[in-house]
Amino acid sequence: MRILVVDDEPDCAILTGYMLCQWGADVKVVISATEALDLFERYEDWPPDILVSDIQMPGIDGYSLMRRVRKMDPDRGGNIPAIALTAYTRAEDRIRALVAGFQIHIAKPFEPVELLAVVESLAKRMINPDVRICQPS
């Protein structure tokens, strides 16, 4: 399971990536939407299975990132399952994230077990029903 984490706050990005690695995922962490889009340009080098992205980022925000990704061909990542991980927690923020193309909206600060459950659910529904990410021992 390859997971791309995008968050402009390095500590949050690294912590999220670390937790996902501890659960057995192959994780790449980037600190801008521009870096994430560069990875999608080289999709064949490391095609992510799930995208976890912050919303509030300078330059290209998470909404714009998601809209750009959704315009890509499916074989280049355009249909990647995506999680908005954000401090924007109002109902209208959740709706805006879903309209932009995210499958789910998780509020920061988040419970690690919640993120694991969401990632595992997306993996089962959208990638492979047999995928399991194990909890760390």
Side-chain angles (χ1 to χ4, degrees):
M1 168 77 46
R2 289 176 303 276
I3 301 174
L4 174 58
V5 175
V6 186
D7 196 318
D8 67 310
E9 175 52 48
D11 290 340
C12 186
I14 291 167
L15 179 61
T16 303
Y18 175 78
M19 285 186 301
L20 293 168
C21 282
Q22 291 301 302
W23 292 324
D26 177 9
V27 179
K28 281 200 190 248
V29 174
V30 298
I31 58 170
S32 73
T34 302
E35 287 182 75
L37 291 169
D38 288 344
L39 279 173
F40 277 98
E41 287 296 320
R42 298 183 321 272
Y43 189 79
E44 61 281 345
D45 294 343
W46 192 83
D49 297 308
I50 293 178
L51 171 66
V52 178
S53 180
D54 186 21
I55 295 295
Q56 184 180 2
M57 296 185 285
I60 303 169
D61 66 14
Y63 300 123
S64 297
L65 169 62
M66 195 71 256
R67 285 190 293 271
R68 288 184 185 192
V69 168
R70 291 294 177 237
K71 288 181 181 176
M72 296 176 182
D73 289 334
D75 62 343
R76 305 287 300 163
N79 61 354
I80 188 171
I83 300 166
L85 194 59
T86 178
Y88 292 159
T89 60
R90 300 172 306 169
E92 53 264 30
D93 298 322
R94 193 171 312 116
I95 292 167
R96 189 172 176 201
L98 297 173
V99 168
F102 288 97
Q103 274 72 35
I104 195 157
H105 174 279
I106 298 177
K108 288 180 182 177
F110 62 91
E111 288 294 326
V113 174
E114 178 186 13
L115 180 60
L116 173 63
V118 168
V119 167
E120 192 166 81
S121 174
L122 283 177
K124 284 181 178 181
R125 283 190 290 141
M126 303 179 131
I127 299 169
N128 180 344
D130 297 324
V131 169
R132 279 197 65 79
I133 297 177
C134 298
Q135 293 215 19
S137 51

